[in-house]
Amino acid sequence: MPVAYAAFYLVLRLGGPLALRRTERKNAEVEPLDPGHRGVEVTGRRTEETAQWLVEHCDLPRVSAGGRSRLRVDAATYARVGEVAEQIDTGYTRVNGDVLVVHDLQPAAVRVHALRRRGWWRLLGDDRAEWDITDGDRTGRLVSGKAHLVSGLPVLVCFRFCAVFGGTSRWMIGFPRKPVGGSSTDERQVLTRVFPPLTASPHVVDPVEVLVPLENALVERRRRYLSLLEELAAEPDLSFRDARRAPDLALLTRVAGEVMAGSGERLCDLVDRAKEEHGLQVAIACARALARLPLGEFRSLTQRLLPIVGSRILSLQWTLTPSWTCVRCRGACRASATRADSGCCPGSRTSSRGWASSTILGSSGSSRGWPRRPVGSTR
């Protein structure tokens, strides 16, 4: 037993530094790599965290992980994407002031595969992370992690580690260890040996790759928007009470800005006509679209908008709650629908816990108590 005890201690005490030098020598043999605009794909464990770390610390214009790509772009492209995002759904998410995140399945030229490895003797302490860098037919392997070597008196330590707030409970058996000075606590720091570090003027994705699809999407969305307005104007009855199927009105509230420029008068005409023909859904959708017009055009339509804002049909659309009480129709309104205008049931009221909301040009508010009816004969 004493001989086995001493042999085990010497293996860990002498083998640890040897394993550390061997690891550092292998890491030094991996050649630096500059992917440029070819892109890097991260696979294996903790792909999203690794991809984000590479974007923040390495000069890589495109990093993919889990079907999503992080693209570093210039300031003008970043600002233009923000402008387009206010008008249509671009598919891009802006982060960090110069990075766009988009769903992308395009394969990258360089692949980084992360995996976890534990040595049998644990000469360097805890688990080690390994990174396989593949560039075409060439593959290099990096090993990272904070190294802990056996040191001090050969006193065997044995205790049970209990993870109370997360983690894994396990037995800790071995000799006292201390961390090696100079080694990084972040296991991803070793990737800077291969990829160039981030500089003040990093590489960026070609703006054409980002802006051309966006501009084409703007043109296509405006074409569909104007086509929908023409389709509604040509409809014989905007109430769609017969067997005809109503078009998809969601497009009216999914666009804004220059996509809708010049369509204010047509929207006002559709609202007025829909009210006359009892086309409630068309009137609401077009009224909400009016609120998304460019500000200058919206102000120029003041005289057309005042009757619309003061409309009983549009401004007092109540969403009924389960506690709504209809005195005159004895609950028929609550049983038949969840929406009603202020003239549906003159004797309607809410109980002490009843709520109702109204819609005015797309904005909603809440009301409690008795619904109010506008004065006069405005519609």
Side-chain angles (χ1 to χ4, degrees), residues 5 19 22 28 58 60 87 195 257-258 284 309 322 368 374-375:
Y5 186 93
R22 181 170 176 267
C58 298
L60 301 174
Q87 305 174 52
F195 301 116
E258 59 190 81
I284 293 177
V309 176
R368 189 173 184 176
V375 179

Side-chain angles (χ1 to χ4, degrees), residues 29-239:
E29 293 175 355
V30 180
E31 298 180 3
L33 182 64
D34 187 2
H37 294 81
R38 296 183 299 162
V40 175
E41 181 181 4
V42 181
T43 59
R45 57 185 299 271
R46 300 176 62 184
T47 57
E48 293 293 336
E49 294 85 349
T50 302
Q52 183 64 28
W53 189 92
L54 286 173
V55 169
E56 295 176 353
H57 296 83
C58 298
D59 188 5
L60 301 174
R62 176 172 172 263
V63 181
S64 304
R68 299 199 307 169
S69 293
R70 290 167 171 81
L71 311 178
R72 178 175 283 109
V73 297
D74 55 29
T77 303
Y78 189 85
R80 179 55 180 166
V81 172
E83 294 175 359
V84 177
E86 296 177 355
Q87 305 174 52
I88 64 173
D89 183 13
T90 62
Y92 290 98
T93 302
R94 301 194 301 167
V95 295
N96 295 344
D98 62 346
V99 177
L100 304 176
V101 181
V102 62
H103 286 279
D104 185 14
L105 299 179
Q106 178 181 353
V110 180
R111 185 171 65 90
V112 178
H113 182 73
L115 53 100
R116 177 69 68 182
R117 178 183 178 186
R118 172 182 291 184
W120 174 255
W121 291 97
R122 298 184 64 215
L123 297 177
L124 300 180
D126 294 334
D127 298 344
R128 313 290 288 169
E130 295 187 356
W131 311 84
D132 289 337
I133 315 296
T134 304
D135 181 14
D137 297 332
R138 185 179 58 179
T139 301
R141 171 165 293 186
L142 295 173
V143 181
S144 64
K146 187 71 173 179
H148 292 74
L149 302 180
V150 171
S151 63
L153 298 176
V155 178
L156 188 67
V157 178
C158 178
F159 66 94
R160 174 71 173 176
F161 172 76
C162 297
V164 179
F165 299 103
T168 304
S169 301
R170 59 179 178 175
W171 285 98
M172 306 294 292
I173 303 175
F175 298 97
R177 295 175 177 269
K178 68 176 181 180
V180 179
S183 60
S184 175
T185 56
D186 192 343
E187 60 185 20
R188 294 181 289 260
Q189 189 67 34
V190 72
L191 294 176
T192 56
R193 293 173 175 259
V194 179
F195 301 116
L198 188 63
T199 60
S201 56
H203 292 84
V204 296
V205 175
D206 187 0
V208 175
E209 180 181 344
V210 177
L211 295 182
V212 169
L214 285 185
E215 300 299 338
N216 293 337
L218 273 177
V219 174
E220 175 62 19
R221 189 62 61 87
R222 178 171 174 81
R223 185 195 66 79
R224 291 174 52 195
Y225 171 74
L226 296 179
S227 176
L228 177 59
L229 293 184
E230 294 177 359
E231 181 181 355
L232 291 176
E235 288 289 345
D237 183 11
L238 294 180
S239 63

